[in-house]
Amino acid sequence: YQGTLLNCILANNNANQNGGGAFQGVLFNCILTNNSASHGGGACSNILINSTLVNNFASFQNLNGGGGAIYSTLTNCFLVANRCSGGGAGAAFSTLTSCVVSNNAGNFGGGVCMGVASGCLISSNHVSNSGGGAYSNVLNNCIVKNNSASNLGGGASGSTFFNCTIISNTASQTGGGVDSGTLNNCIIYHNFAPKIPDYPNDNRSVLNYCDAVSELATNGIRNITTEPAFVDLADGDFHLQSNSPCINSGNNAYVTVANDLDGNARIVGGTVDIGAYEYQSPSSILSYAWAQQYGLPTDGSADYLDSDGDGFNNWQEWRAGTSPIDASSLLQMFSPAPTNNSSGVTISWQSVSGINYFVQRGSDLSVQPAFSTIQSNIVGQAGTTSFTDTSATNGGPYFYRVGVQ
């Protein structure tokens, strides 16, 4: 109870309530094994660094079980073969960084439950209900593989993902990859379930800038379905090959950490990759999936070419979501409504669904900076998007411009 422990083994202990092995302490290089408690079979409310939690058990049947740990912070730890009657067989309500969470078993969230995991391997966990790898968790830069659920969500259920690779998970019912949740900059591929092998393509899941098998998600934006081209799928090497469509195809707004799963820079080439690993030497600054879609090379030679002669180079076309082979597809403004409208000035522009825009206004172009932003995060519509500047109610003059965020 409390204290600081260095290079210790805590084995075969039991607590009626919290922390079978340790409670409210700081542990460095320790092993916690075969301990049990109602909450936190191995550890409860601890800081654990470079430690191993193996074969611990939590008996509480609700979500806050925590076979290995609960209410704890774990860094560079191994959580292996822990069990719980409720949620979080590996860890519940905890923050994990650079941990391995493997072969744990419970009812909900075989690996992690109701916490945050960053840079972790969550593998081969199992639950009798939902969320084989994770349940109601936030995961950043994680590999979620070979987990299973007897009901829903072999990889995860009800979780939020940023730059994760979710692969080879299994559910007995639906959602082999994920049953529900939000995925950003993620690869979700090669999962299995009798119904919905990878993810439910309905309002239970939202995918943004993901590489997802079979069909585009109906909720979310700018997803692709192309095979991600791993270095060695059969042997579990999920790094990206040099021609992977996932290179530069994510969204930097969803980046939550500075480094990828290897500890390398998370953004290389200007735009984040999809998945847990960042390809470290891209030859182009374009999204590889976008370039391949239009038959453009990914060696950098076409990045700044104006392939369709519309005044926008290929990098600008990609950022704007327009076609590099169609001169009529470009970002352009239409003539504004008259300025004698008491409700303001309405401006419209040719737009693309799923692109966010900003509007800037100026009144004197001889003064620098001539423009300032008056509205951002305008969600683009297919064809035309409009914005009314309600503060422009006098004689002006007013000058406007529109940009892509």
Side-chain angles (χ1 to χ4, degrees):
Y1 171 63
Q2 297 187 349
T4 300
L5 291 81
L6 309 174
N7 303 315
C8 295
I9 297 175
L10 295 86
N12 304 307
N13 303 287
N14 173 262
N16 187 44
Q17 293 188 10
N18 299 320
F23 182 47
Q24 293 184 352
V26 180
L27 289 75
F28 296 89
N29 302 317
C30 292
I31 297 174
L32 292 80
T33 182
N34 292 307
N35 304 288
S36 63
S38 175
H39 305 270
C44 177
S45 302
N46 288 267
I47 296 174
L48 300 103
I49 301 172
N50 298 332
S51 296
T52 297
L53 297 86
V54 58
N55 289 323
N56 302 287
F57 173 70
S59 60
F60 193 68
Q61 295 184 3
N62 211 328
L63 291 178
N64 52 340
I70 192 170
Y71 307 129
S72 296
T73 301
L74 302 96
T75 304
N76 296 321
C77 292
F78 287 85
L79 296 90
V80 180
N82 301 286
R83 297 172 296 115
C84 73
S85 299
F93 294 89
S94 297
T95 299
L96 288 75
T97 304
S98 302
C99 294
V100 174
V101 186
S102 177
N103 291 285
N104 303 284
N107 193 22
F108 293 90
V112 289
C113 176
M114 305 292 288
V116 178
S118 300
C120 295
L121 171 63
I122 300 173
S123 173
S124 304
N125 303 285
H126 175 74
V127 292
S128 57
N129 202 314
S130 300
Y135 184 88
S136 293
N137 220 77
V138 177
L139 300 100
N140 309 299
N141 282 354
C142 292
I143 297 287
V144 180
K145 69 169 187 173
N146 297 331
N147 302 284
S148 62
S150 294
N151 193 1
L152 310 175
S157 180
S159 296
T160 301
F161 297 85
F162 300 92
N163 278 103
C164 292
T165 299
I166 305 161
I167 191 164
S168 299
N169 302 284
T170 304
S172 298
Q173 299 296 322
T174 64
V178 296
D179 170 59
S180 60
T182 300
L183 295 85
N184 305 300
N185 297 345
C186 292
I187 298 172
I188 177 167
Y189 238 88
H190 301 298
N191 301 283
F192 174 77
K195 298 179 180 179
I196 313 176
D198 287 284
Y199 63 92
N201 199 359
D202 56 25
N203 58 9
R204 287 181 292 163
S205 292
V206 178
L207 279 68
N208 299 306
Y209 293 82
C210 291
D211 188 1
V213 71
S214 301
E215 59 181 335
L216 289 174
T218 54
N219 290 324
I221 59 173
R222 307 197 80 168
N223 300 293
I224 61 175
T225 61
T226 313
E227 172 73 39
F230 295 124
V231 168
D232 193 337
L233 174 63
D235 286 339
D237 186 346
F238 304 129
H239 292 83
L240 303 177
Q241 295 184 38
S242 61
N243 64 340
S244 170
C246 297
I247 297 172
N248 295 342
S249 296
N251 186 333
N252 293 351
Y254 296 124
V255 175
T256 58
V257 292
N259 302 101
D260 72 355
L261 187 57
D262 279 337
N264 295 320
R266 179 66 269 190
I267 300 176
V268 180
T271 306
V272 67
D273 296 349
I274 297 174
Y277 296 109
E278 188 83 3
Y279 187 72
Q280 294 296 300
S281 55
S283 53
S284 172
I285 61 173
L286 301 176
S287 158
Y288 279 32
W290 182 87
Q292 291 163 356
Q293 174 187 352
Y294 291 105
L296 299 175
T298 56
D299 59 4
S301 62
D303 290 4
Y304 298 109
L305 295 180
D306 182 3
S307 297
D308 56 6
D310 61 2
F312 283 74
N313 65 42
N314 290 326
W315 179 84
Q316 292 170 321
E317 299 265 22
W318 164 56
R319 290 286 290 113
T322 54
S323 171
I325 57 174
D326 181 358
S328 66
S329 175
L330 73 163
L331 174 62
Q332 61 178 342
M333 296 178 64
F334 303 120
S335 297
T339 57
N340 59 355
N341 188 334
S342 60
S343 63
V345 176
T346 298
I347 60 171
S348 301
W349 60 95
Q350 186 170 309
S351 58
V352 175
S353 176
I355 297 291
N356 284 352
Y357 299 90
F358 61 84
V359 172
Q360 296 183 332
R361 188 183 75 184
S363 58
D364 186 351
L365 299 186
S366 66
V367 177
Q368 296 300 318
F371 291 89
S372 60
T373 300
I374 60 173
Q375 185 65 48
S376 58
N377 296 315
I378 302 172
V379 178
Q381 306 300 312
T384 301
T385 297
S386 298
F387 169 77
T388 299
D389 179 7
T390 56
S391 65
T393 56
N394 56 35
Y398 300 109
F399 303 92
Y400 295 93
R401 66 182 182 184
V402 173
V404 173
Q405 290 182 215

